[in-house]
Amino acid sequence: MSHYDYIIIGAGAAGLLLANALGKDEFFASKSILVLDKEDKTTNDRTWCFWERGTGKFDDLIHKTWDFIYVGGQQLQKSTSIAPYTYKMLRGIDFYNHFLPKVKTFPNITWIQEGVTKIEESENEVSVTTSSQKFTGQTVFSSLYDASIPLKQKKFPVLQQHFVGWQIKTDQSVFNSGEATFMDFSVPQKGNTRFMYVLPISATEALVEYTLFSEHLLEKTAYEEAIKTYIKEKYNNTNYTIKETEFGSIPMTCYPFHQHNTDRIFHIGIAGGWAKPSTGYTFYNTSKQVPKLVSHLKTGRPLSEFHKKSRFLFYDMLLLDILYQNNHLGHEIFESMFKRRKASLILKFLENETNFWEELKIVTAPRPMPFIRALLKRLF
């Protein structure tokens, strides 16, 4: 049985960024690190997008950027600049091809492609069992997400951001490659919050995604039919071929995932609550959390002290309370925000970077009564 100082379970964004940060930092040169993942990370299994001011540390890996976005719906058709932000698209395969070889070159890191079946904590160490062997570690960082855990309580509503995306190539030039469709609520809402999300790579290539913020997932054919209908109506029934497909479901909840952390087992990524509750965006926040976690490790303080409260969690909680009780209000809330406030301010707010007065501008954009009711219910 091999023993390690740190075991990282999962080589997604959180796992690889953490492994890379530990591997290149001389402070951890004497630490033995094991990275476990059941996949070989050779497929483009996901797409991450985020907005950022100016240049960033992932710019060499970025597949496409946009300086303009479109938001549409029942009462809004708006194309707008997001300056000083740029919307950036990072493909999973490009991320893996860059970071995985780097991680494998660090002399103190061991990579093993195996799935984890059990994690057990004792007084002095943690044992990690895979399909064929067993390891022990002083500290385990796990990105394994158990979707049933937040569903076992009622205090914090749990919605899903679920989607199916098609990477398509059309026979004709139909896309504006300089503008990303951020949210198009013109599709039938059917009592939910539903929208199309379109990322044009060129005039003839785009990722077209049907997305819902709701409690329950749909049958696969429902997503696919919605995408077919949208392409037919929006792009004049143009002929196209599907190059790649993707499916995802991201939890939208303010459930305190950090309460399951111990001083030996620490959850990262979605499993650690690093997804933005009100939007599902995870990658950019993860890229900010990892350096903070590494700095915390250097202090020697207990991992249980890492979590910090934020007032933005309360804003997220009110929105999720509303959408959980009245899911159909989603399009109205987001449309009113983009209709009455600058897109750059909304993105700044969603990135948890605004001050109180800017936040006041945001929260007063939609109709106030749903938020007042949600606030009173939370307080009393």
Side-chain angles (χ1 to χ4, degrees), residues 109-376:
I109 293 184
T110 301
W111 160 272
I112 296 179
Q113 185 186 337
E114 288 191 17
V116 172
T117 58
K118 185 187 297 184
I119 304 173
E120 294 179 299
E121 182 177 6
S122 63
E123 184 177 350
N124 297 316
E125 62 185 19
V126 181
S127 65
V128 177
T129 304
T130 69
S131 52
S132 67
Q133 51 190 315
K134 193 172 186 177
F135 308 95
T136 58
Q138 291 301 114
T139 305
V140 168
F141 300 99
S142 175
S143 60
L144 297 180
Y145 175 62
D146 184 348
S148 69
I149 290 177
L151 297 177
K152 295 175 182 177
Q153 52 79 51
K154 298 297 183 183
K155 183 177 180 181
F156 302 97
V158 181
L159 299 175
Q160 300 293 323
Q161 180 189 149
H162 47 111
F163 55 87
V164 165
W166 286 356
Q167 185 81 37
I168 66 171
K169 183 172 180 59
T170 60
D171 292 346
Q172 303 176 23
S173 297
V174 296
F175 300 114
N176 176 3
S177 62
E179 180 181 87
T181 297
F182 198 66
M183 288 177 155
D184 186 350
F185 293 102
S186 64
V187 297
Q189 297 296 286
K190 300 182 180 180
N192 298 130
T193 299
R194 306 184 180 209
F195 60 93
M196 299 302 299
Y197 176 62
V198 183
L199 302 179
I201 309 304
S202 69
T204 58
E205 295 178 273
L207 172 64
V208 183
E209 196 171 273
Y210 184 54
T211 304
L212 291 83
F213 294 169
S214 66
E215 188 176 0
H216 303 293
L217 275 61
L218 308 178
E219 294 293 331
K220 183 181 179 182
T221 54
Y223 302 96
E224 294 173 337
E225 288 302 317
I227 296 174
K228 290 178 185 177
T229 300
Y230 186 79
I231 295 173
K232 179 179 180 180
E233 296 178 353
K234 185 76 172 182
Y235 303 111
N236 299 319
N237 203 25
T238 184
N239 293 321
Y240 61 91
T241 54
I242 303 171
K243 298 297 185 181
E244 294 181 359
T245 64
E246 62 180 42
F247 165 78
S249 182
I250 303 168
M252 302 177 68
T253 180
C254 292
Y255 176 78
F257 290 98
H258 65 274
Q259 69 182 1
H260 300 291
N261 294 333
T262 70
D263 289 331
R264 293 198 180 277
I265 300 177
F266 188 89
H267 297 85
I268 59 177
I270 288 176
W274 290 2
K276 172 75 170 172
S278 60
T279 65
Y281 280 89
T282 310
F283 179 84
Y284 197 62
N285 185 51
T286 294
S287 74
K288 294 192 292 185
Q289 290 295 323
V290 166
K292 294 177 182 178
L293 177 57
V294 171
S295 295
H296 186 87
L297 289 172
K298 290 182 178 181
T299 68
R301 299 201 311 272
L303 281 171
S304 55
E305 296 180 6
F306 178 74
H307 177 75
K308 304 295 182 186
K309 290 184 178 181
S310 167
R311 67 183 183 277
F312 292 97
L313 193 66
F314 188 71
Y315 299 140
D316 289 337
M317 186 160 52
L318 292 183
L319 177 61
L320 292 178
D321 284 348
I322 294 169
L323 295 183
Y324 188 75
Q325 295 295 327
N326 298 281
N327 197 245
H328 64 284
L329 293 179
H331 81 88
E332 178 186 320
I333 292 171
F334 283 102
E335 284 183 49
S336 62
M337 287 172 59
F338 279 97
K339 183 177 182 178
R340 297 169 182 165
R341 302 294 182 259
K342 291 181 62 175
S344 57
L345 178 61
I346 297 170
L347 296 183
K348 186 179 181 182
F349 174 71
L350 295 177
E351 205 55 52
N352 299 354
E353 294 179 343
T354 46
N355 58 43
F356 176 76
W357 296 111
E358 290 172 323
E359 290 151 26
L360 190 61
K361 291 181 181 179
I362 293 294
V363 300
T364 55
R367 285 192 301 118
M369 282 311 299
F371 288 89
I372 292 173
R373 293 191 191 100
L375 175 62
L376 292 176

